[in-house]
Amino acid sequence: MNARSELSIAGVLIGFSLLNYFYLIPTQVVAEGSSPVYPMLVNTMLLCFSLAYMGDGIRCWRQQKKAEGEGQACSTGGGKVMMRPLAMLVVTGAWVLSMEYLGFIISTFVFLIIASRIFGSKSWSKALIMSVAMPLIIYFVFRVLNALLPEGPAEELINLILG
Amino acid sequence: MGEIFNHLWDGAVYALSAWNILAIIIGYIIGIIAGAIPGVMAVTAMVLILPYTFTLEPLFAISLLMGIYKGGAYAGSITATLFNIPGTPEAAATALDSYPMFKQGMQKRSLEIALWASVFGGTVSNLLLVFTAPPLAEVALRLGPPEIAALILFSLTAVITLLGDSRMDIWKGFISITLGLMLATVGLDNMSASRRYVFGIEDLDNGVPFVLTIIAMLALSEVFIQAEKVGSFTLGDAAGAVSRIIPYTWKQRWKDLKFCLKDLIRSSFVGSLLGALPGIGATTAAFVCYGEARRSAKKDARFGNGDPRGIAAPEAGNNAVAASSLIPLITLGIPGSVAAAVMYGAFMIQGMIPGPMLMMEHPEIIYGLFVLLIITDFLGAFVVALPFISVVQKIFKNLNYSLFFPGVVVCCVVGVYAEEFNVFNLRIFLMLGFVGYIMRKMGMSIPPFILAFILGPILERNTRTALLLSNDSPMIFVQSPIALGLLILAVAALGWSLWRKTRGAKGVLEVPEEFKH
C-alpha cells in the first residue's frame, strides 16, 4: 500500500473510534445499563494506536514525496484488483440469503457452479459433477445425523420420495 | 516427579483406546493433505473440522485436531522438497536445503531427514510439556485478577513485537488487537448481564460465536485472497521429478543422524522455548533454528546446497513449537498461538475450560492428552507420513483449485450453520470474512485479532475484578510484584521492538515477506 492509503485507513480508524466515543458507547453501552469503563479503555487504545499509525503514515508520505519518481520508499504491498474477491463476496452473500427460500441443495448447486467459474474453472463437466454431488452428500450426511439444513423444493422432493 | 509418572500411567489407561489412535491417524492424514496444499494451512484444516467436533468424545476430538496440526507441520516439508513450494510458511526454511538435495537425486534422504527431525523435535517438546506443565499450573493457581490481566496484556504485546519490518506494522498489529478486543465486547456484559453493541438484535446477545469468528477470519478471508491469485499458481520449472534417485542406506541414515545430532538437540530446545512464548509461532522458530545451525557450522558447510543440518534444524524447531505452544494454554488457559486458540475452542466445545483448574480436576484428560501427543509423532510419522508421500505428490500435481476453493467455502458455511443452526450467524460470518480480507489487504495481521478476541473476555473479567477489589484504583496493578513485572516486560518488549524497527535490524535471518501471515 502507498502512504496515501495508509493515511486514509488511519483516518477511518480515528473516525470510528470518535464515533464509538460519542455515539456508540453512550447509546449501545451506557443506555443499556452496562459499565462504560472497559469499552472506553479499549477505544482509547484504538485511538492512540491509530494516531501513532497516522503519525508514521505522515512520515512515510513525506518520504515518498521526497523520493518522488521512485515512490516506493514506504510501500507495504497490496493494491491488487479486488474484482474476483468482490464477486465471491456477492455470490456467497446471495447464496446465504437465498438458502432459506431455495433450500440448501439448489442454492448450493447454483453457488458452486458460479463460484467455480469465478475461480477460473474451464471444465463445465467437472464443475457440474461437483455442484451436484457435494450438496447431496452433505444433505444426506446431515439427514443421517438427524440435523436439518435449510429446506426448499429439492429437499421436499427427497422427503417425499424417501418418506 | 513420581506423581507425574502416576498421572501419566492413569492418562495412558484412560486415553489409549483404538478410537483415539484412529483419530490421530485420521487427523494426521487430513493434516498432511491440508499442509501440502499451498494456501491451506494445517490451522485452516483444524478450523474447518472444529465445528464438527461437537458430537465427538473429548479426547477423540482433541487427538483429531492435534493429528491435523502435527501432520500439517510435517507436510509442508514434502512440497518444499519436491517442488520448492512450501505447503506451510514454516517449511520455507526447510526448502532452502531440502530442494537442492532433491535436485541432486537425494529425495528419499531429504524427506527422511525432515521426518525424523520432526519426530525428534516433537518428542523433546512433548516431554518438556509433560514435565513443566504441572509445576507451572500450580503457580498459575496462585495468580489473582491483576496478575492474570497483566499476563494477558504481556501475551498480546509479545505477539505484536515480532510482526513486520516497520513501526507501521507494530501499530497495525496493535490496532488488530484492539479490534479483536472490541469484537469480544459485543453481547451481554459478562459481569452485569446488560447488553452491549447489540443494536437491538437478539441473536447478538450471546456475542459473536467463537468458532464462526475463527473460520471467517482465517478460512473465508483466505478464499478471498486466493480468488485474487486465480491463474497465477503454477508449478513452473519445479517438475517434481529428477532423472536419477539415489537410494538412502542405513549406514547413511546413521551417519546423518550423528552429523545432525547437535543441531537437532539445540533446535528442539530453541523451538520448544520459542513455542512456549505466546505468539512467536513455528515460522519464526524454523528460521531462527536454521540461522543458528548455519551460524554454528564450519565455513565449508553446504548450507543452501543440500546440507542435512539445513533440513534437520528448521524441521526439529518448527515441530517442537507444536507441543510447547500448548504450555500457556494448559497451565494458564491462555492460547499462545492460533493453533492453540483452535484447541481452546475444541476444549470449550466439549464443556471444559483449559487452565490450571482443568489439570487439577481432570488430570486423566490432560495426562491422557500428553500420552496421545507423545505417540502422535511416532504414529503419524512412521504409519502415515512415509506411505503418504507419493499420495501428496499426486494430490499436489492434480488438484483442481477452481473447484477446491468453492468447496472450502461450502464446508465453512455448513460448519458455521451446524454450530447453532442459525441462518443469522451466516450473515455475520460473511461480514467477518470480508472484514478479515480487508484487514489482510491493509497489511493487518489476523492471528493477533483472533488471540485478542479469545482473550478479551478473560482480560475484561480480570481487569474489572481487580478494579472492584481495589475500589477502582489502578494502583492494584502496580502493587503486585508479578503484575508489575509483567507490565514492565510488556512495555519493554514494545519499546525494544519499536527501537529495533526504527534502527533496522541487520544480520538477522528474516522470514521472507511472502510467508508472513
Side-chain angles (χ1 to χ4, degrees):
Chain A
M1 276 194 302
N2 58 30
R4 194 177 288 239
S5 312
E6 305 270 15
L7 281 174
S8 315
I9 295 164
V12 170
L13 288 165
I14 291 168
F16 173 71
S17 80
L18 292 175
L19 176 81
N20 202 12
Y21 264 129
F22 298 111
Y23 178 71
L24 293 177
I25 292 177
T27 58
Q28 297 296 321
V29 179
V30 179
E32 297 278 356
S34 185
S35 162
V37 175
Y38 184 76
M40 281 283 202
L41 201 69
V42 176
N43 196 49
T44 308
M45 280 164 61
L46 179 67
L47 184 63
C48 292
F49 296 134
S50 303
L51 285 170
Y53 177 35
M54 181 168 254
D56 269 349
I58 291 169
R59 186 184 55 85
C60 188
W61 180 64
R62 280 186 185 152
Q63 269 181 18
Q64 255 186 11
K65 272 192 101 180
K66 268 187 190 170
E68 280 186 292
E70 296 163 24
Q72 296 295 316
C74 285
S75 176
T76 51
K80 284 182 184 171
V81 183
M82 287 169 61
M83 284 312 289
R84 281 179 203 270
L86 277 175
M88 268 307 284
L89 176 76
V90 171
V91 171
T92 313
W95 172 43
V96 164
L97 292 174
S98 67
M99 208 185 279
E100 277 182 294
Y101 310 102
L102 294 176
F104 177 76
I105 295 175
I106 293 176
S107 61
T108 308
F109 168 78
V110 177
F111 166 76
L112 282 172
I113 288 278
I114 300 172
S116 61
R117 300 301 291 176
I118 293 172
F119 268 93
S121 171
K122 285 169 188 145
S123 163
W124 274 102
S125 57
K126 280 182 187 169
L128 203 65
I129 291 168
M130 183 183 157
S131 307
V132 172
M134 193 167 184
L136 281 175
I137 291 169
I138 293 172
Y139 175 76
F140 281 110
V141 168
F142 270 66
R143 202 183 154 97
V144 168
L145 295 173
N146 257 336
L148 284 179
L149 284 164
E151 297 207 332
E155 287 82 358
E156 281 170 16
L157 187 70
I158 292 172
N159 284 340
L160 206 68
I161 295 166
L162 297 177
Chain B
M1 187 67 86
E3 201 185 348
I4 293 178
F5 283 108
N6 286 339
H7 281 312
L8 270 179
W9 175 252
D10 292 341
V13 172
Y14 178 74
L16 282 180
S17 69
W19 281 110
N20 291 339
I21 290 169
L22 184 69
I24 291 171
I25 293 173
I26 295 171
Y28 212 92
I29 292 172
I30 296 171
I32 280 208
I33 293 170
I37 300 169
V40 181
M41 288 181 295
V43 173
T44 318
M46 287 169 79
V47 164
L48 289 175
I49 297 285
L50 184 63
Y52 302 101
T53 60
F54 271 104
T55 51
L56 302 176
E57 284 291 313
L59 273 178
F60 187 92
I62 307 278
S63 311
L64 186 72
L65 292 173
M66 209 58 223
I68 295 174
Y69 186 38
K70 294 231 168 189
Y74 169 65
S77 67
I78 301 177
T79 49
T81 303
L82 301 181
F83 303 100
N84 200 24
I85 299 172
T88 51
E90 54 268 31
T94 311
L96 297 173
D97 277 280
S98 67
Y99 186 62
M101 194 181 269
F102 161 76
K103 282 204 292 189
Q104 293 157 25
M106 291 182 276
Q107 161 182 338
K108 207 166 161 42
R109 184 183 176 205
S110 169
L111 288 167
E112 280 198 27
I113 291 172
L115 189 65
W116 47 252
S118 302
V119 175
F120 193 95
T123 307
V124 168
S125 173
N126 290 336
L127 293 176
L128 277 177
L129 171 68
V130 171
F131 291 103
T132 56
L136 278 175
E138 277 180 28
V139 173
L141 278 174
R142 295 192 200 120
L143 300 180
E147 287 87 5
I148 293 174
L151 185 66
I152 292 173
L153 272 180
F154 167 69
S155 307
L156 293 175
T157 314
V159 174
I160 296 304
T161 49
L162 287 153
L163 286 176
D165 298 322
S166 68
R167 278 203 322 216
M168 215 124 58
D169 291 324
I170 301 266
W171 303 131
K172 283 181 189 174
F174 273 113
I175 290 166
S176 196
I177 282 183
T178 45
L179 292 175
L181 293 175
M182 274 183 171
L183 188 69
T185 59
V186 173
L188 294 181
D189 178 343
N190 58 19
M191 291 186 83
S192 66
S194 44
R195 303 165 105 199
R196 290 187 303 195
Y197 298 113
V198 295
F199 302 94
I201 303 167
E202 281 181 17
D203 286 302
L204 282 176
D205 277 356
N206 290 329
V208 180
F210 162 79
V211 175
L212 175 158
T213 308
I214 292 192
I215 300 179
M217 298 301 283
L218 285 177
L220 189 61
S221 69
E222 182 63 43
V223 172
F224 290 139
I225 292 281
Q226 294 298 330
E228 276 181 0
K229 299 177 183 170
V230 171
S232 66
F233 178 76
T234 54
L235 290 177
D237 61 347
V242 285
S243 52
R244 64 196 171 95
I245 294 175
I246 299 169
Y248 193 34
T249 61
W250 281 104
K251 196 179 162 190
Q252 183 70 43
R253 281 189 183 100
W254 182 240
K255 205 175 145 193
D256 278 344
L257 182 64
K258 276 204 293 188
F259 185 58
C260 301
L261 192 62
K262 211 169 85 181
D263 293 282
L264 277 174
I265 294 170
R266 184 182 44 229
S267 300
S268 302
F269 280 99
V270 169
S272 301
L273 185 71
L274 292 177
L277 298 173
I280 291 185
T283 311
T284 310
F287 276 90
V288 167
C289 292
Y290 183 85
E292 272 305 300
R294 203 171 66 175
R295 196 183 56 80
S296 63
K298 287 178 185 164
K299 278 184 182 170
D300 59 346
R302 298 181 67 245
F303 278 91
N305 294 308
D307 193 303
R309 291 167 298 180
I311 304 168
E315 278 302 305
N318 82 50
N319 279 275
V321 168
S324 65
S325 68
L326 294 179
I327 293 175
L329 178 71
I330 288 171
T331 56
L332 304 163
I334 295 174
S337 66
V338 180
V342 179
M343 300 296 277
Y344 182 90
F347 275 106
M348 298 283 277
I349 282 172
Q350 299 294 337
M352 296 183 279
I353 299 170
M357 287 309 288
L358 184 64
M359 195 155 204
M360 301 299 156
E361 287 168 2
H362 298 286
E364 73 285 357
I365 293 179
I366 297 297
Y367 283 90
L369 173 68
F370 290 164
V371 171
L372 290 172
L373 269 173
I374 291 168
I375 65 165
T376 299
D377 283 304
F378 292 95
L379 203 63
F382 299 112
V383 177
V384 184
L386 279 178
F388 248 75
I389 288 170
S390 59
V391 179
V392 167
Q393 203 166 354
K394 276 188 195 138
I395 290 172
F396 188 79
K397 274 184 174 172
N398 302 321
L399 187 71
N400 188 334
Y401 285 84
S402 60
L403 300 178
F404 175 74
F405 285 111
V408 168
V409 178
V410 173
C411 290
C412 291
V413 166
V414 171
V416 168
Y417 179 77
E419 196 192 353
E420 290 181 10
F421 295 97
N422 184 352
V423 177
F424 176 78
N425 282 358
L426 294 179
R427 292 173 197 164
I428 308 178
F429 165 73
L430 196 62
M431 210 170 72
L432 280 179
F434 198 68
V435 168
Y437 167 69
I438 296 291
M439 282 176 69
R440 288 170 75 163
K441 290 290 289 177
M442 283 159 40
M444 287 186 187
S445 184
I446 299 297
F449 177 93
I450 289 177
L451 290 180
F453 176 72
I454 294 163
L455 296 175
I458 311 172
L459 176 67
E460 180 181 2
R461 196 171 48 245
N462 284 287
T463 308
R464 287 173 66 179
T465 310
L467 289 172
L468 273 176
L469 290 172
S470 65
N471 292 323
D472 286 340
S473 164
M475 291 307 285
I476 191 170
F477 295 102
V478 187
Q479 282 158 354
S480 153
I482 297 175
L484 180 64
L486 286 164
L487 290 176
I488 290 172
L489 273 178
V491 174
L494 173 64
W496 171 77
S497 153
L498 284 173
W499 176 77
R500 195 171 65 99
K501 260 50 173 196
T502 309
R503 191 171 155 266
K506 294 268 188 301
V508 179
L509 190 72
E510 292 285 349
V511 179
E513 194 60 45
E514 63 269 33
F515 297 122
K516 285 174 186 168
H517 193 59

